[in-house]
Amino acid sequence: MPQAGRDGAGMPMIVEDWDRLTFRVNREAYRSSEIFDRERDNVWLQNWLYLGHETEIAKPNDFIVRTLAGRPLIFCRDTDGEVRAWLNSCPHRGTVLCRETTGSSKLFQCFYHAWTFRNNGDVAAIPDDSAYEGSEGLRESMKLRAVPRLETHEGYVFVSFNPDVPPLLEHLGDAADYMTMIEQQHVSGMTTLPGVQLYSVRGNWKLAVENAMDGYHFSPTHNTFVGYLRENGFAVTDDDQYAYNLGNGHSLLVLTGHGGRISMIWEPRFGEDERARTAAHRKEMTERLGEQRAHYVADESHILFVFPNLLLFDIEGLSIRQLEPVSAAQTDVRAWQLVPRVEDPASRALRMKTVVSFVGPGGLATPDDIEAYEAVQRGIEATANERRGELDFSDMSRGMVDEVKGVQGRSIDEGAMRGFWRHWVSAVGIDNGLRVDGKRPASFLEGRDVR
Amino acid sequence: MPQAGRDGAGMPMIVEDWDRLTFRVNREAYRSSEIFDRERDNVWLQNWLYLGHETEIAKPNDFIVRTLAGRPLIFCRDTDGEVRAWLNSCPHRGTVLCRETTGSSKLFQCFYHAWTFRNNGDVAAIPDDSAYEGSEGLRESMKLRAVPRLETHEGYVFVSFNPDVPPLLEHLGDAADYMTMIEQQHVSGMTTLPGVQLYSVRGNWKLAVENAMDGYHFSPTHNTFVGYLRENGFAVTDDDQYAYNLGNGHSLLVLTGHGGRISMIWEPRFGEDERARTAAHRKEMTERLGEQRAHYVADESHILFVFPNLLLFDIEGLSIRQLEPVSAAQTDVRAWQLVPRVEDPASRALRMKTVVSFVGPGGLATPDDIEAYEAVQRGIEATANERRGELDFSDMSRGMVDEVKGVQGRSIDEGAMRGFWRHWVSAVGIDNGLRVDGKRPASFLEGRDVR
Amino acid sequence: MPQAGRDGAGMPMIVEDWDRLTFRVNREAYRSSEIFDRERDNVWLQNWLYLGHETEIAKPNDFIVRTLAGRPLIFCRDTDGEVRAWLNSCPHRGTVLCRETTGSSKLFQCFYHAWTFRNNGDVAAIPDDSAYEGSEGLRESMKLRAVPRLETHEGYVFVSFNPDVPPLLEHLGDAADYMTMIEQQHVSGMTTLPGVQLYSVRGNWKLAVENAMDGYHFSPTHNTFVGYLRENGFAVTDDDQYAYNLGNGHSLLVLTGHGGRISMIWEPRFGEDERARTAAHRKEMTERLGEQRAHYVADESHILFVFPNLLLFDIEGLSIRQLEPVSAAQTDVRAWQLVPRVEDPASRALRMKTVVSFVGPGGLATPDDIEAYEAVQRGIEATANERRGELDFSDMSRGMVDEVKGVQGRSIDEGAMRGFWRHWVSAVGIDNGLRVDGKRPASFLEGRDVR
Amino acid sequence: MTAVGEYGVVTVAGHALSRAQVEDFLYEEADILDAWRYDDWLALFAQGARYEIPTTDYAGWSLHESGSFVDDDYDLLLARVKRLKSRKAHAENPHSRTHRLISNVRAFAHEDKLRVTASFVVHRARDGQFDTYVGRYEHLLLPTDDGLRFWLRRSILTHEALPAGARLSFIL
Amino acid sequence: MTAVGEYGVVTVAGHALSRAQVEDFLYEEADILDAWRYDDWLALFAQGARYEIPTTDYAGWSLHESGSFVDDDYDLLLARVKRLKSRKAHAENPHSRTHRLISNVRAFAHEDKLRVTASFVVHRARDGQFDTYVGRYEHLLLPTDDGLRFWLRRSILTHEALPAGARLSFIL
Amino acid sequence: MTAVGEYGVVTVAGHALSRAQVEDFLYEEADILDAWRYDDWLALFAQGARYEIPTTDYAGWSLHESGSFVDDDYDLLLARVKRLKSRKAHAENPHSRTHRLISNVRAFAHEDKLRVTASFVVHRARDGQFDTYVGRYEHLLLPTDDGLRFWLRRSILTHEALPAGARLSFIL
Ligand code: FES
Ligand code: FES
Ligand code: FES
Ligand SMILES: [Fe+3]
Ligand SMILES: [Fe+3]
Ligand SMILES: [Fe+3]
């Protein structure tokens, strides 16, 4: 068992008990480097992954380099305007081809031997190619290496290292519409901005997923932020709010008691001028989207998780968060602010101030979440290789009393986490990873219809 | 052999030769991470471990957090005054429960979801526990996780992660009385003080054990400290001093030629005022303990090793040293000064100055010991995976010429180390870990009767 | 395959295709720690390794400590003037024996227990050796541990941890004469100087070997240095220059278009005074060596690689570079400047300025090479565990069109690298490490006769 | 070359200021922050002042138009201080141990303000980790009769990304 | 706002002292220590002076009543210097290469002494390791006619524990 | 004890110089280097000046007689700057992000020059790595009517060896 404990091989990762109504997650899932390797192979190299947003490379020839699943990539728009994802590694001897982090260029030239490539992947030049047999075949075989699959939904660019992955929309399923809702907030559509939050947490990536789907932590963990909102005339509540499993590991928190819906629901802290702009914008939305759709788009805050590496925060502004696991115990995080392409400068300034006051390592809330991931990662060392094996499990049973009855789980329950873990264990493919005691319900609630 | 060398599996760790009278230790024992893992599983998670001293948590509700065997623990005295050791990890999702290093509190509240526990382990509050089946059962099952065993001897608190470990006193055996002797030095009893030396050495923990049991290194390694004592009127000698194996891996160095016995044997460097105080105290001791017991308590310096992680230095003052292995090549060390609860302020100041002048990373002696551990750890890389396998062994043969005759080993022999290694190899349970050539004596000397 | 990819076990490391005329190297060879361990066992612990130059320890009792194959060594000249290589680890308990980096001493005394050794390896003193059986046998068995083999050629000292390695000259083969040529440049012979460049690169050691044998990178990578030479009246060319495999993994680049041949071929940047000194020296060389030998010695720049850890740069001055792999992704580099024992101070100053302007981490050229190793090491992460396995290979096919015809490869081809890799794969002994498709030539060109 | 007496004195809005005075101001702030004296820290700001930390990709843009780490107007600054003084600011309870080195201080007149640049290294010890934050101050200081006050307090990180475990939950 | 001429001058026991003078004293000490000139270092102390390094859990207590890393009265200071000058102080033979940064220097009058605080970073290279010691000085200096002298030299570490390989065998 | 007014002034070749002036010179250079303004940097050198970085085993020898990392006479210095300004200096394109701390500045008259010593730490961020270069300046400065100029700019590393990934492709 300690040996087993060392890599978690062959142990149940999840234990569901439908008699006791408990759901337990093996803490080895956060600690084990062997499980990290399996996740890399069976999830990150198989699944769709969020790469970036179209608006980051708005113009032809724009490029950004970005590491995804540990692989250095070039995310660019070629000269013809097509969005591309190339391995950032020279086909000749593997040198990082593009060493700039961002810029605009028609060509990528490797500095080592000056092989040069067009941003559509074609070989532009190989010095002295007479040294090779069949220089035509050479140019064919030495094109830039593409990430096998790339598809886009509402400006969100996804890639997969698995050529056989099903179509993106099939993968996104019910999650797709919540991305559409964000795009519908403003008639001009949305764009990312410069000023990307790059940080890294000493915690397993799944702790960041749980935290985002966990309404139960909000008032204790963010006590000071709740206080700040309260003093500014907004009474936060957790009542009548729900967490949904959207299938394929995706999930959704719908929050109606947390505010921060700039240009959709006015709050005193936004100031008087903003009040009129908000009213006007709501009017425009209703005309454009109709009463009910406008309601869903405007009046609810959403936290959407798209398995495995994308979190969308449609609350206190709009931010995109990407998770890049580095090791079992470390995760790089990247966050972009998403704003209406066209917006009143005062609203924009208010939006930027507001979103940053909440999210990111310098905000008034996110640091407490980071403290949580890191305190969990440290804390679970207490039961590593524990003889009393059952103590090395974390509890996520909240709301199983409803779940077993088929009642929709609340935001302050742990149902969204259970959905995530159930998907995770099958995706990672750990033998006997799931143990079910007692009689499991025939099915679980999935999705939510807002159309 | 190199592959074997890479993890030391299946190689003899110790080779005793009773024809040549040599004792050799495989240097893989200091280098191998696989052996480190076995030690963690078979020693640190099975044996009694020194956790801390009662006086560190003198009052009800006092707590200290401390990592032992890599596990974060809460070492506290509950509201009813009972000493406790809890895993510092929330039973809910594993968060470090108590993030303060020390303090006083009746309750421990997890900041993540505000689960709250009494310092006796009971659940005090679980917010919105209606989300769980059977909230009574929940409170039962979600109590703080205790370290399975905790026992105290003379104020020294030991714990074990093994519920089936034999009683503490059985484990301590002959070592127990030397802890009693320390307690008997002063009628008021002893207490630890604030000002804990926390440091970390780049060496295997067993090098620190060997060093403490090694009188042979004293004059060459501590040449400058010996010189300092000599200039201050004390002539250090290594004659007629012995090292004892106390069984269960414990051992004892009895030093009568090294001085520093504050308030028991006066030296010029202590100053004239101290002379009278020393005489008075010796008188009190003799009355209280009788001539002979007082002699053993007062006139000998002792260095006691309690397997596997406690060293008591009853020399140049009194200090407790705890070893916390971090990896094969790194060991965290913690040292507390132990003083009479009641003491003349001038004696106290003298004591503190004296002990620190000797022990600790800022002293005039310990740094040379640390240099030794670290120089050994670096040096043994020279023979890693050596084809001439016999060169990858360290020699600890000193005094086998006496040992084979059943003659008690001297402090400047290496008999205490041999006793340690013989116990270690059986405790760690390495197959064929011990190779014996020639005819081994039927038994070895063990213990020493001073009662 | 991903699992395989994780350590590269059982995969072809090299794929030669004689139909397509391609040569591909598996990037796992640069990344895998398992392959690093095999290299350590099968190459570094078996082969001759360059340790240092006789002139670093010019006088009896001089010593230098140096780590080779991860082993701390003492490289010294004993009192009788013999060159020695000792494991820098005390035979007693393994302490680093000599903690000074360099100096002069007849004796090495271990500080831990004062065991003392002569620089010829004999035991000089073991304090209180009566504690051991048979103190004579003890002194015999406790001599300093020598590196099993040590031989010298032209002042270059090589050692092997393998007692059964064939004689050095047999190993050096054709490489030996190029070391002789350097010695013949000046009648006084050559010496190393103080001022050793110690640095470390974040790249696999084999990338440093490839780079040195790679004339193809010179003009693009060193664009700025070429520009500097051009402005100073020297037109760099890559025409009619060749790369030779010398057997046993050794190789040679002969460059006639790159200059920097101080005191042999004058250039304007060397200044007028140097012109006369150069002419005089060339005259002396011709008298001493004869027309043709003098031509080979003086008019060609040479970059010589002696497998596995020595690079000699007879270009822009003379430097010795030693490679000490630390991990798959890190290599320590040491570089010494080699100069005539007797030289005009102005020539010497010119030489030092010139060599340093080119080589070393502060030069105008080497930093771009370091950038290359490191950019490759980062870049090849892009194809780690790639499903399209063939993409995880680097191409070294340049000049196979000539090689297949038995035509000597040019400096700007990749033939020297292919020779290196062919030797490497057999030396490391990876099962099925080499895959040959199509019909391989019966033999490859090897060596070059200049005698 | 000016005589030493007046060397290096900058006059702003009628206040003659030496580098030494600016250094003393920054050193005092550092001690206040390391001692967790947040009310005293607030007192170093002029009413309406701002506190900014751009992201590591910062290229000079306005934080009103871009993402950032900290974009506090005076109201948010008050909220931040209030939070930091609360026992419930979990990310900083227990408090980080911080240590600050401020060097390369330079001061320039900038309209009615003093533009101050400096190099900083902030060390932070917490949870057995020891983090280092490296960057540059680009402040605007307001000279008043009671001494200098922050008008814009801006910390610009040198890092390419915040390293593992680093966060800006304390004042950088 | 005082004129620059006298700005920042502290007068102690009749000695007018500027921060620059204190910095020069600390910078000179740093060079002396890095050059291993221990006799010169001793000469910077007043007779009867003390050298202290509290442990990392230090909370202001007296070292006479608690554990510590260094608790040298003048006699022990002499013994320490004698040891460091000996070839047999193995922990420092060969000598560590040290490098010191002293910043954020502040000086305050404290009875007849000058209370000086500063931030330090000491880098130490030895045995292929490169260690960093981060902390704060809280000294008491005695102004004399021959310049400043240490009355209490105290180094307070910022670390939560001495990191691996760190030791105080040299002067921090 | 000298009055503060003139305290610490060194007079060289008729130029009265204070430490503050030397610090300002070094701080300005640091900003110029961090901003990659190489023409401005070159302007800080006197004609015929040298730039030197000895190896880490440096024991005081002449770089004309030993190996070194940098041994630039004025011509090579020009070549180095030209290289650094080129887009083809691959090791520094993209540019490293550098950050400099200069402390413990001391100035001494040395014939007609000013001998300046200081401690430096240079941080360098590139390719996801964050390297630290620790060492000591030992410069010779030439006082001119237009201010100070480098006559010998020498950086001496404290490291025992350049750590992994460290290189001197930028100006240390
Ligand atoms: S590695 Fe890119 S051109 Fe050679
Ligand atoms: S993890 Fe402790 S309360 Fe949830
Ligand atoms: S280890 Fe060298 S003498 Fe004991
Ligand atoms: Fe949160
Ligand atoms: Fe000792
Ligand atoms: Fe090159």
Side-chain angles (χ1 to χ4, degrees), chain C residues 44-65:
Chain C
W44 301 82
L45 297 186
Q46 302 295 335
N47 220 287
W48 283 104
L49 301 174
Y50 177 65
L51 172 58
H53 197 273
E54 267 185 354
T55 57
E56 294 182 75
I57 46 169
K59 295 184 303 306
N61 304 319
D62 285 355
F63 69 83
I64 287 173
V65 303

Side-chain angles (χ1 to χ4, degrees), chain C residues 211 214 217-218 221-222 358 365-366 368-369:
Chain C
N211 175 273
D214 175 5
H217 85 279
F218 199 87
T221 300
H222 302 303
F358 179 68
T366 303
D368 297 327
D369 293 315

